[in-house]
Amino acid sequence: MGNYLITNSKIMTMNEAGDVLENGYIAIKDSRIQAIGPMDTLERQMYPGYKEFTAPPYAKPYVVLPGFIQTHIHTTQALGRGLADDVDLIVWTRKRIWPYEAALTPDDAYISAMLGIAEMIKSGTTMFCEASGEHPDSIAQAVLDSGISGTVCLSTMDLPGEIPEALRMTTHEAIERNLALIERWHGTEERVDGCLNILNLFLSSETLWKEFTKLSKERNLLLQSHVAESKSEVEFVKEKTGLTPVRYLDSIGALTPNLLAAHLVFIDDKEIDLLHRNGVNVMHLPAAELRIAGFAPIAKELEKGIPVSLGTNSPPCNNRMSIMDDMWLAGLMHKAVNDDPAAVPAKAVLRMATINGAKALKREHQTGTLEVGKLADITIMDMNKVCATPTHDLESTIVYQATSEVVDTVFARGELLMEHGRLTTIDEGWIIREAERRAHSIVKRAGIKL
Ligand SMILES: [Zn+2]
């Protein structure tokens, strides 16, 4: 691992005060941020042998941000993107994605995760949380090999429903397999972490929810799930329990600060209060929600002070794994729904993609802002691109205007993962060839007809 010096740059710290250094530097030593300051205080002799990153003097300066954090993404579905477009949810699930997941080998899952991670790095993401993976050890290996930080989990369903045999497990097996994953991957706050998973309320028992909630409290584990994602889920839970999903989870004590709840689209004001009061982590997945669900009440949640975070969710229902695309959508879609062009401003979206993600994953002491002593999780943007020109307001340019084309250089834990647009830990040509080959082989094996 080298040491690095980023100079003559605009530094958006994303700290509590929202400090921006107009012309600043950052020194990276090993895995951490060693120093940050204005250029006129830089003492170069303090940093001998540090490799320097700076924009040419005739160009606009680099913009430096904390690496983005995706709190909900299904990397093992990356080889299935494009497999289920323009079909209804029944076909999406039963005819396309479940057969795809059931046919996935551990090596397929590794390549799928690598493809997802490559796209994440190329769009400035340095940390993610898997939403419900198959073969979590393969995902963990991809995290280790690529240098990104990732929390892995096992897609867990303990009720049979209509899921393929290969994806079924009993409540006992669900607990055992999740505990084994936690033993292997949780606890050190290193590159790989592990969390508990319950896929959704359709396919899980109350026993499992109670057991995992207890475990998550006792051992301070995150529990990842999808909640109030569709109208049919709300109807199903109401019929089964007499309550809406959020009220039901409240009634069994499952709303906790360790719950990572994705979507929460079909909820009312009382349920927003319940989420807020119990410190539940709300994850917003704009593209996927536009595709299959609707409009989560994000503006209201932000107004209440809920630190909503962002994810790109499932590649077969979003198709893009660049968080910058979802930042763009998050900034736009709530303006329409709330009939308010000032709703969910760029500033809020940037916080969702950085510090709020760190808070959701309980890593705000490590990442999410640029501060001395924190992990060097850093994205450098080169604004000398057509899409970023002109720049009147930096936050607006990043959220509404720029695409991931501006992401130039990325560090995670001080390791250089992309240098001037070139991935340094993943062979891009190889991953494209392998991903294309394996994706077609899975479709053939699973007998999926488009
Ligand atoms: Zn999801």
Side-chain angles (χ1 to χ4, degrees):
M1 195 178 288
N3 297 327
Y4 304 96
L5 193 59
I6 305 165
T7 57
N8 302 304
S9 298
K10 284 196 183 195
I11 297 170
M12 301 179 74
T13 65
M14 299 307 297
N15 66 9
E16 222 29 68
D19 291 332
V20 177
L21 275 71
E22 284 302 319
N23 185 24
Y25 75 94
I26 298 185
I28 301 169
K29 186 168 170 38
D30 302 325
S31 62
R32 307 237 163 220
I33 297 175
Q34 184 184 7
I36 305 181
M39 275 309 285
D40 55 14
T41 65
L42 172 63
E43 297 179 50
R44 282 185 181 274
Q45 70 277 12
M46 301 276 290
Y47 309 105
Y50 282 50
K51 182 170 176 172
E52 189 164 344
F53 287 83
T54 196
Y58 52 81
K60 291 191 274 186
Y62 286 155
V63 172
V64 186
L65 286 148
F68 296 129
I69 297 169
Q70 290 215 37
T71 51
H72 187 104
I73 176 169
H74 301 252
T75 64
T76 50
Q77 292 180 352
L79 298 185
R81 62 172 162 178
L83 258 192
D85 296 330
D86 305 328
V87 294
D88 64 35
L89 258 183
I90 304 284
V91 174
W92 192 97
T93 314
R94 294 182 193 168
K95 304 265 190 224
R96 307 284 171 87
I97 302 311
W98 281 348
Y100 160 87
E101 288 193 322
L104 211 62
T105 66
D107 286 349
D108 294 333
Y110 175 83
I111 294 297
S112 186
M114 270 299 201
L115 180 68
I117 290 168
E119 194 163 343
M120 278 195 268
I121 296 171
K122 286 172 81 73
S123 46
T125 296
T126 53
M127 183 177 276
F128 73 95
C129 184
E130 184 70 31
S132 67
E134 302 303 315
H135 308 297
D137 289 357
S138 298
I139 308 170
Q141 193 58 50
V143 169
L144 291 171
D145 292 348
S146 66
I148 200 168
S149 294
T151 299
V152 300
C153 61
L154 173 74
S155 188
T156 303
M157 303 166 264
D158 71 325
L159 296 180
E162 297 194 27
I163 55 179
E165 193 62 39
L167 304 178
R168 291 184 189 186
M169 58 185 96
T170 63
T171 307
H172 179 72
E173 283 166 346
I175 295 168
E176 292 295 307
R177 291 179 66 185
N178 272 265
L179 277 177
L181 177 140
I182 294 301
E183 288 307 319
R184 285 199 299 282
W185 297 114
H186 175 68
T188 56
E189 294 199 331
E190 293 298 328
R191 262 184 218 294
V192 183
D193 200 348
C195 72
L196 302 169
N197 177 272
I198 298 178
L199 186 69
N200 59 35
L201 281 156
F202 281 117
L203 296 160
S204 54
S205 68
E206 189 165 305
T207 309
L208 189 66
W209 273 99
K210 286 184 170 167
E211 191 62 34
F212 276 11
T213 300
K214 193 165 122 235
L215 268 173
S216 77
K217 281 185 191 161
E218 282 170 4
R219 299 183 57 178
N220 200 22
L221 300 169
L222 293 171
L223 168 56
Q224 174 80 267
S225 194
H226 300 81
V227 182
E229 179 179 4
S230 62
K231 284 182 187 157
S232 55
E233 180 198 326
V234 175
E235 288 313 310
F236 174 86
V237 177
K238 263 179 158 170
E239 206 159 290
K240 194 172 160 188
T241 69
L243 297 167
T244 58
V246 172
R247 287 182 177 84
Y248 168 65
L249 290 177
D250 183 49
S251 76
I252 60 168
L255 297 183
T256 77
N258 286 348
L259 179 63
L260 298 170
H263 293 298
L264 295 161
V265 173
F266 298 98
I267 59 173
D268 58 32
D269 289 357
K270 278 244 160 60
E271 289 172 300
I272 296 176
D273 283 340
L274 281 173
L275 296 168
H276 186 223
R277 205 177 315 141
N278 290 289
V280 174
N281 302 287
V282 175
M283 280 109 75
H284 180 32
L285 317 160
E289 285 160 20
L290 282 174
R291 171 76 68 95
I292 57 162
F295 300 97
I298 299 302
K300 277 187 184 171
E301 288 165 353
L302 290 174
E303 231 168 72
K304 277 218 172 293
I306 297 176
V308 178
S309 61
L310 277 181
T312 55
N313 197 21
S314 152
C317 74
N318 174 348
N319 303 42
R320 299 182 184 193
M321 288 173 278
S322 161
I323 195 169
M324 290 193 68
D325 294 334
D326 276 82
M327 285 160 65
W328 175 64
L329 289 176
L332 285 182
M333 61 196 267
H334 303 289
K335 292 172 171 52
V337 187
N338 292 281
D339 192 17
D340 175 8
V344 189
K347 189 185 279 299
V349 174
L350 279 169
R351 290 185 67 78
M352 287 160 81
T354 54
I355 183 61
N356 289 7
K359 283 180 180 167
L361 301 182
K362 314 286 180 235
R363 297 297 188 96
E364 69 267 38
H365 58 291
Q366 280 193 317
T367 191
T369 60
L370 299 176
E371 292 178 72
V372 172
K374 279 197 170 182
L375 289 173
D377 289 345
I378 294 173
T379 290
I380 301 178
M381 292 184 172
D382 178 2
M383 307 307 270
N384 297 283
K385 306 283 179 188
V386 169
C387 70
T389 304
T391 298
H392 292 296
D393 177 287
L394 196 48
E395 288 164 338
S396 294
T397 304
I398 294 168
V399 172
Y400 298 119
Q401 196 174 317
T403 67
S404 58
E405 192 191 357
V406 300
V407 177
D408 181 85
T409 295
V410 176
F411 300 89
R413 294 173 177 259
E415 190 176 338
L416 188 57
L417 305 190
M418 183 162 84
E419 183 174 11
H420 302 314
R422 191 184 65 82
L423 295 176
T424 57
T425 56
I426 301 173
D427 180 335
E428 213 171 316
W430 168 76
I431 198 66
I432 290 169
R433 283 192 304 278
E434 264 305 283
E436 192 71 42
R437 183 180 75 74
R438 284 181 183 272
H440 295 291
S441 161
I442 294 162
V443 168
K444 209 167 163 193
R445 266 197 329 269
I448 297 168
K449 301 257 178 298
L450 260 73

